[in-house]
Amino acid sequence: MSEQKISMTKRRTYLVQMFYRYLLMNNDVNYIKQDILDETQEKLDVETTLIANNIAEKLSDLKKEIIKHLSANWKWDRIPTYIQSILIIGAYEIIFTPTPKAVTINELVNLVKENEVDFDYKFVNACLDKVIKL
């Protein structure tokens, strides 16, 4: 297990990639937790591992939170899987961490711009902006 501290930006990128893979393969929580454990042995630090497990535990609730903020024109299944992953990581960070919402949204919008260039990043911005801290 890596004891090296990683940046928040790198952590977000890892988490988005991990949950993209889980969503793409429609994995259940038990599979996700085992995969996180396997990933931990290779490249994840302790904090990223804890966050990934927390997201896995709350995955269903996070999806529900995002879905309730979608406009009538959008259904969860219409959203590209990579964008779903970004929305899940963003919703988790906004609701459960002290990171300022603007920082979270800005960094995740940048991931959309870098990796999903054909998708309107404003959708992600608008959706995450509706999520509020608990």
Side-chain angles (χ1 to χ4, degrees):
M1 187 180 316
S2 172
E3 293 304 318
Q4 189 175 7
K5 184 111 169 114
I6 64 171
S7 73
M8 286 297 295
T9 301
K10 191 172 203 86
R11 178 173 291 133
R12 275 185 203 96
T13 302
Y14 280 159
L15 292 168
V16 167
Q17 290 169 350
M18 289 170 66
F19 281 88
Y20 169 63
R21 187 172 68 234
Y22 303 146
L23 292 171
L24 203 57
M25 296 178 1
N26 203 22
N27 294 127
D28 68 10
V29 172
N30 292 329
Y31 176 89
I32 294 170
K33 287 183 174 185
Q34 181 58 51
D35 193 63
I36 292 167
L37 185 62
D38 295 344
E39 291 265 335
T40 299
Q41 295 166 3
E42 288 188 31
K43 65 182 177 194
L44 297 181
D45 66 342
V46 174
E47 195 170 344
T48 306
T49 303
L50 290 172
I51 292 168
N53 276 308
N54 283 336
I55 294 169
E57 292 268 332
K58 297 170 177 20
L59 189 57
S60 177
D61 291 335
L62 290 167
K63 283 168 66 172
K64 287 176 190 169
E65 177 66 20
I66 295 161
I67 289 167
K68 80 179 187 185
H69 296 300
L70 295 177
S71 70
N73 301 341
W74 282 95
K75 299 288 180 246
W76 180 255
D77 294 338
R78 268 191 64 209
I79 301 170
T81 308
Y82 185 76
I83 302 300
Q84 289 177 1
S85 174
I86 285 176
L87 292 171
I88 287 168
I89 302 309
Y92 173 83
E93 196 168 314
I94 290 167
I95 296 168
F96 297 106
T97 74
T99 306
K101 183 194 275 194
V103 171
T104 298
I105 292 172
N106 185 52
E107 290 218 5
L108 292 171
V109 162
N110 285 338
L111 278 179
V112 174
K113 290 177 182 176
E114 292 168 16
N115 299 301
E116 198 70 41
V117 294
D118 293 335
F119 194 82
D120 185 2
Y121 67 88
K122 292 175 188 167
F123 172 86
V124 171
N125 190 351
C127 191
L128 289 178
D129 194 45
K130 293 176 186 170
V131 174
I132 51 175
K133 290 194 178 289
L134 294 179

